[in-house]
Amino acid sequence: MDCQLEVVNIEKIIFSGLIKKVKVSGIEGNLCIYPNHTQLLTFIQPGLLSIIDIKEKIENLYISGGILEIQPNKISILADSVIRVIDLDRKHILRNKKKLQKNISDNLVLEQQSKIIKTLSEEIAKLKVIEMMEKPKNRN
């Protein structure tokens, strides 16, 4: 059995189609959602969004956060931002992470520090997604 998945952000539709399964990081842990999942409304943590469509094609995306809504035959994700995993650049992310960590140690006002910490946590989540995608390659 299949269900409809819509992944959107403020700018465009990221994905729209029939799926067999979706994996996403909820605020209380990882969720694996199949058709006929119980109804749910929750926030999404930065991390991996893995979509398996009805043709068994896998789409792996980094999602920086958002809201997940599950209805009987429809799953909706309103995403803050989405990047295809293959487009994540480890070197660029590590440079950003290092710069952000340095900025935290500077004497900034609390509001600036909280913005930097949020951005830093997103960069760390991107790195975790890259590592998750590389693990299966290392097993072969």
Side-chain angles (χ1 to χ4, degrees), residues 40-85:
L40 177 69
L41 181 64
T42 188
F43 288 102
I44 297 170
Q45 294 281 57
L48 179 65
L49 169 61
S50 185
I51 303 166
I52 301 172
D53 71 14
I54 59 172
K55 296 178 181 176
E56 301 289 331
K57 180 181 175 236
I58 300 171
E59 179 81 32
N60 290 312
L61 307 164
Y62 165 79
I63 186 168
S64 67
I67 299 173
L68 166 72
E69 178 185 24
I70 304 172
Q71 293 296 324
N73 292 316
K74 185 173 182 182
I75 301 167
S76 301
I77 296 176
L78 176 57
D80 294 336
S81 68
V82 179
I83 303 169
R84 292 181 2 202
V85 170

Side-chain angles (χ1 to χ4, degrees), residues 39-135:
Q39 292 183 2
L40 177 69
L41 181 64
T42 188
F43 288 102
I44 297 170
Q45 294 281 57
L48 179 65
L49 169 61
S50 185
I51 303 166
I52 301 172
D53 71 14
I54 59 172
K55 296 178 181 176
E56 301 289 331
K57 180 181 175 236
I58 300 171
E59 179 81 32
N60 290 312
L61 307 164
Y62 165 79
I63 186 168
S64 67
I67 299 173
L68 166 72
E69 178 185 24
I70 304 172
Q71 293 296 324
N73 292 316
K74 185 173 182 182
I75 301 167
S76 301
I77 296 176
L78 176 57
D80 294 336
S81 68
V82 179
I83 303 169
R84 292 181 2 202
V85 170
I86 60 171
D87 294 334
L88 292 175
D89 180 349
R90 180 191 298 274
K91 289 179 183 177
H92 177 73
I93 294 166
L94 288 170
R95 278 193 303 271
N96 284 347
K97 180 179 172 256
K98 189 173 184 178
K99 189 186 318 179
L100 290 164
Q101 287 171 323
K102 182 194 175 303
N103 287 343
I104 288 173
S105 64
D106 294 345
N107 292 323
L108 301 172
V109 295
L110 189 59
E111 182 179 320
Q112 289 173 317
Q113 283 184 340
S114 64
K115 286 179 184 176
I116 291 170
I117 290 169
K118 180 183 182 300
T119 306
L120 178 59
S121 69
E122 290 174 2
E123 295 300 307
I124 291 168
K126 289 176 189 175
L127 288 171
K128 287 181 181 178
V129 166
I130 290 172
E131 290 169 4
M132 288 170 57
M133 293 294 100
E134 289 176 343
K135 277 186 181 179

